[in-house]
Amino acid sequence: MKKRLIIVTIIASTTGVILILLASYLEIFFPAKNAFYIGVFGDAILSIIKGLGIALITSALINALKYFAENAETLIRNDFISILKNEELRSIKSRIDHALYFRGRNYDEDNFYTFYEKEISSLLDSYYYKSYKTFIDCEFSTYYIKKTIRKQLEMINAGKKSCTTKIPFEASLQKVNGFDMNDLYQIKKFTIDSKDYTQEINEKLTICDNSNNSTDEYCINASTSYEVAFEHRCQIDMIIETIVPIDDTHFSNKVTVPCKEYSITFKLNNPLYKLSWYSFGFSGNHKDKLLYEIPLKDALEIGFKEWILPGDGVLIAINKKV
């Protein structure tokens, strides 16, 4: 902006001086009471030329003085920033950030704030979860736990263009005696904006037994995804049933994009067990301020009061009462 103002000021001032000199020269060349005198009409034209020159010089000086004299509030109120280019806005922001956070401090240019400012800026041009709600209902048997997991997601596209993302369905499971591996992970419902895609997602679902190639107890891998494109807003509703051994007592859940309203309700339906939980991620480390817990009959609801970041979530454990 400063460079542009200097260029405009120089051009306007130079043009003004040229017009004044031109008018003065013409007055000398066509003086009154001379054979070449151009008359009253000519005098009026010369006056207009001289006036334009003076006006250009004056306006250029006034604009330059206003630029250096006006405070930030006046510039913003007069919509100063709307005429700036992106490069100029970034330059101003960088200087403001430095004045706010790094004045008088020994920080490199490649600092913690700069790194995360770039990361967060990239998130602003994508989508976020306006709400992310999870409901888990447990059914206990002698040797296994059946979990019915329902997730209701509301996604908002914050960017200017249509948004495309993939909804993942993934789980690593243990074998359970008496059950085929295809029974361990089942997608019972999948809708996008109330339109049913349950059959399509089940046709894409793959469940593999990797026990021959791995010593990991969690050798059953279920995975697929569904690509979703939306302009402004999208609602996802899914229900998944899993079967795990009775000693597989942990459940974790985290978000992959910024989320405004996050909650998880875990229902045991068994008085012999209780729940404990742990939050993780950046927001999880501020649980005293951001997290809330609502004990329910044989259940527990946990949620975040404010925005959470990608990687934030909770880990829930099922414990047998002593």
Side-chain angles (χ1 to χ4, degrees):
M1 177 63 185
K2 185 177 180 180
K3 182 179 179 181
R4 190 190 309 170
L5 180 63
I6 292 173
I7 294 173
V8 171
T9 301
I10 292 174
I11 293 174
S13 301
T14 303
T15 304
V17 170
I18 292 174
L19 289 175
I20 292 172
L21 291 176
L22 177 63
S24 300
Y25 174 77
L26 292 175
E27 284 179 343
I28 295 172
F29 194 79
F30 301 109
K33 299 179 181 179
N34 186 286
F36 298 101
Y37 179 54
I38 55 179
V40 176
F41 182 72
D43 288 342
I45 293 176
L46 293 178
S47 297
I48 291 172
I49 294 173
K50 187 182 292 184
L52 284 174
I54 295 172
L56 284 171
I57 295 173
T58 304
S59 62
L61 292 175
I62 290 174
N63 285 331
L65 289 172
K66 284 179 68 179
Y67 174 81
F68 290 105
E70 284 189 328
N71 56 35
E73 183 180 353
T74 304
L75 293 173
I76 294 172
R77 187 171 59 245
N78 291 336
D79 208 18
F80 161 76
I81 60 175
S82 66
I83 63 173
L84 298 180
K85 297 179 180 178
N86 288 339
E87 300 79 25
E88 294 168 330
L89 289 171
R90 292 190 187 98
S91 176
I92 291 174
K93 183 181 181 303
S94 177
R95 294 183 182 184
I96 292 173
D97 289 343
H98 188 275
L100 281 173
Y101 306 117
F102 306 110
R103 183 183 293 173
R105 298 183 183 181
N106 185 23
Y107 270 98
D108 296 330
E109 290 297 323
D110 186 19
N111 54 64
F112 173 83
Y113 174 83
T114 303
F115 171 77
Y116 273 97
E117 191 272 337
K118 290 179 181 178
E119 291 295 313
I120 292 173
S121 295
S122 66
L123 296 174
L124 297 177
D125 200 32
S126 184
Y127 73 97
Y128 66 89
Y129 292 125
K130 183 179 180 181
S131 67
Y132 189 117
K133 298 179 180 180
T134 304
F135 305 90
I136 302 171
D137 205 333
C138 295
E139 179 184 326
F140 286 79
S141 183
T142 306
Y143 303 107
Y144 64 87
I145 306 172
K146 181 180 179 181
K147 298 174 186 173
T148 301
I149 305 165
R150 183 175 189 178
K151 292 184 179 182
Q152 294 177 314
L153 318 176
E154 182 178 359
M155 303 184 295
I156 303 296
N157 180 16
K160 296 179 180 179
K161 300 179 181 179
S162 176
C163 180
T164 302
T165 186
K166 289 185 176 181
I167 307 298
F169 294 81
E170 296 180 344
S172 295
L173 304 160
Q174 298 183 58
K175 290 183 177 182
V176 180
N177 291 332
F179 288 93
D180 183 79
M181 67 176 184
N182 293 315
D183 297 328
L184 302 181
Y185 186 93
Q186 298 183 60
I187 302 173
K188 296 294 185 179
K189 178 183 178 181
F190 178 54
T191 65
I192 303 173
D193 292 330
S194 300
K195 188 175 180 180
D196 196 341
Y197 293 91
T198 307
Q199 182 177 345
E200 288 92 327
I201 197 66
N202 275 295
E203 289 173 354
K204 297 177 63 179
L205 178 64
T206 59
I207 301 178
C208 302
D209 182 356
N210 298 318
S211 58
N212 293 331
N213 303 318
S214 174
T215 57
D216 192 342
E217 290 183 336
Y218 293 86
C219 58
I220 306 297
N221 293 323
S223 66
T224 188
S225 63
Y226 199 92
E227 190 171 277
V228 178
F230 61 101
E231 293 287 339
H232 306 294
R233 177 175 171 271
C234 181
Q235 287 186 310
I236 305 292
D237 192 0
M238 66 178 78
I239 297 176
I240 300 166
E241 284 188 0
T242 64
I243 296 175
V244 300
I246 193 70
D247 58 354
D248 188 353
T249 57
H250 293 84
F251 178 86
S252 64
N253 187 236
K254 67 179 181 180
V255 297
T256 54
V257 297
C259 179
K260 188 176 183 181
E261 299 173 9
Y262 176 92
S263 68
I264 179 170
T265 303
F266 203 110
K267 192 172 183 181
L268 283 172
N269 299 309
N270 193 321
L272 299 178
Y273 292 86
K274 63 180 180 178
L275 293 169
S276 60
W277 60 274
Y278 173 77
S279 59
F280 55 85
F282 177 81
S283 302
N285 291 328
H286 298 76
K287 60 183 178 181
D288 293 338
K289 297 180 180 179
L290 298 179
L291 272 164
Y292 69 84
E293 176 185 356
I294 302 176
L296 304 169
K297 184 181 179 181
D298 232 9
L300 178 68
E301 180 181 340
I302 307 166
F304 287 89
K305 303 174 185 176
E306 298 290 345
W307 285 89
I308 61 175
L309 300 175
D312 291 339
V314 295
L315 172 67
I316 298 176
I318 302 172
N319 305 298
K320 198 164 188 177
K321 293 180 179 178
V322 180

